[in-house]
Amino acid sequence: MLKTEINTVATLCQLHTDLSDEEIRKIQEVVQNLQLIADLNQANVFIDCQTREKKHAIVVAEAAPSTAKSVYKNPVVGKFAYETFEPAVFYAFRTGKPLFLNHAFTQEGKKVEQSVVPIIGVHNRVIGTLIMEKDNSDKLQNQNKLKALTEANETLSELLLGMAENRPFIPEVIEESLFIIDQDLRIQYSNPAAMNLVLEMCSMECKSGNFFTTFFPNLEEICLRSDELVIQEVTIQNKVFQMKKIALVQNEQNSGSFIIFRDLTELREKERELTVKTVAIREIHHRVKNNLQTVASLLRLQMRRGIPEESKVHFVESLNRILSIASVYEIILSNSQNQDDVEIVSLIEKIGNMLVFSDDHEGKTITIDYSGPKLYIKSNLAVSVALVINELIQNCVKHAFTERNEGQIHVVIEEEASAIMVLVKDNGIGYTSTMKPSLGLDIVKMMIEHDLSGHFRIEGTSEGTVATVEFPFTREV
């Protein structure tokens, strides 16, 4: 505690109280440990002393915890405390007895848990009070929630047990099988769906008073569990059910259980079929990828064995197109979530790096970079996008940097409203409308308009060429 704070205690006591110098020193001794007390208890701590008239008290020292959030926004040293708002404090002054865990309000109107201990001076006189205040709003909120849940549980138990007395409140046409059993596992109520379920299990008719375990002997362990709620998937005669067991409580005593069976057989069968189909689709993707790589290998083999020089460029272009399509299936197969989706930036990066870094480009230094958010598109769209990007980047590599020693390609992916926009930029010689049309650009236009239902434009700028591809896209939620 700082020396200035010790002096403040003496000044306030001398101005407003009738404490002697010895009693003030006693208060100062307590003040020296005030911060330690606050940190240890994670609470705000104060010392109040009564005024000369004994009608009020004044706060002569305070400490906010450094180990927890303070319940006060502003300092209160020097402020008066009134009995109307601080009854526990004045009780301690009058009786010399402590009060613990008392509910109170701070001077800022916040609910707190308050404890008050009297500070005893000479001749057993109460010379001050040590006050500790903790924020208990969360504790009260949790208590209220617990009370509400307990009341709700009691009400539910009464309603459900009322069903066993021929006063049902749940419609009899509900699809789930409902049972109410008592603590001895005797059936007190079963709806028509539950009766039908029992008839499927055996030829016996389900009646009140039957033991639940007579029909479902393998579920006895679940029924005897003391948990308030048990949710478990169970198999009964080759059928799959979700079983919910809700404990019923009356007067804080277990009075039985409410059991719900939901038939999941059809759902699990569909999930199994979906898993089989997913495995089959991945196998197809794997075979398509292998077949494409086989075709690419055959083209490479033919090129190594010798082809006319004028045909070499056409072989390379065809090879790149095949490898671009194969890239789609490689990304699908690398997806650990077994989804038929392709992340577009990864696909474009894979194709771009293959085209730019797989050849020396007649000694030219060409670099490429990519930017854009993670967007996933279906594999059928991804094949068309792969071919389009292949043609655009290949066009940059072949035509943009003639008579230059280096070049830069930048691919930007953007999402705008319900569309994806891909921009392929280069800092080359620049495109003009008088240039001879190429097969590659014809492929791009055809695929964008027919396969992607999008738009394509290419234009020259002062810095080179910008090719823009835009096609509709709906992000899945």
Side-chain angles (χ1 to χ4, degrees), residues 258-389:
F258 181 41
I259 295 175
I260 307 171
F261 284 110
R262 183 185 175 198
D263 193 343
L264 301 179
T265 307
E266 186 177 349
L267 176 64
R268 293 292 176 260
E269 181 61 26
K270 288 180 178 178
E271 288 177 350
R272 189 191 66 79
E273 291 175 359
L274 183 60
T275 301
V276 171
K277 287 180 181 178
T278 301
V279 172
I281 289 170
R282 289 184 68 83
E283 179 61 24
I284 291 169
H285 288 332
H286 190 74
R287 292 185 183 184
V288 170
K289 184 201 76 167
N290 288 347
N291 289 340
L292 288 169
Q293 290 179 339
T294 299
V295 174
S297 297
L298 291 173
L299 284 175
R300 289 194 190 97
L301 180 62
Q302 184 64 52
M303 291 168 66
R304 283 198 294 268
R305 298 190 68 174
I307 56 174
E309 190 63 32
E310 63 273 15
S311 300
K312 183 178 179 181
V313 65
H314 302 300
F315 270 76
V316 171
E317 290 176 352
S318 298
L319 179 63
N320 288 336
R321 288 169 187 143
I322 292 168
L323 293 175
S324 296
I325 298 173
S327 298
V328 173
Y329 295 97
E330 287 179 17
I331 292 176
I332 291 173
L333 292 169
S334 66
N335 188 343
S336 61
Q337 296 180 346
N338 295 328
Q339 293 180 345
D340 191 32
D341 296 335
V342 178
E343 202 279 295
I344 192 169
V345 176
S346 300
L347 174 64
I348 291 173
E349 186 173 351
K350 192 174 187 68
I351 294 169
N353 291 347
M354 175 188 71
L355 295 172
V356 171
F357 301 125
S358 62
D359 200 353
D360 61 5
H361 309 299
E362 299 178 350
K364 295 183 178 69
T365 302
I366 300 176
T367 58
I368 186 169
D369 57 58
Y370 317 88
S371 64
K374 275 197 170 188
L375 298 172
Y376 289 86
I377 57 177
K378 294 299 179 183
S379 59
N380 59 327
L381 292 179
V383 170
S384 300
V385 171
L387 287 170
V388 167
I389 295 301

Side-chain angles (χ1 to χ4, degrees), residues 7-21:
N7 293 336
T8 300
V9 173
T11 302
L12 289 171
C13 289
Q14 290 164 359
L15 282 174
H16 299 284
T17 74
D18 59 0
L19 298 179
S20 66
D21 291 342

Side-chain angles (χ1 to χ4, degrees), residues 10 35 37 94 118 230 253 268 290 401 459:
Q35 186 62 53
I37 297 170
R94 283 195 298 269
V230 178
Q253 296 293 323
R268 293 292 176 260
N290 288 347
F401 310 115
E459 55 189 351

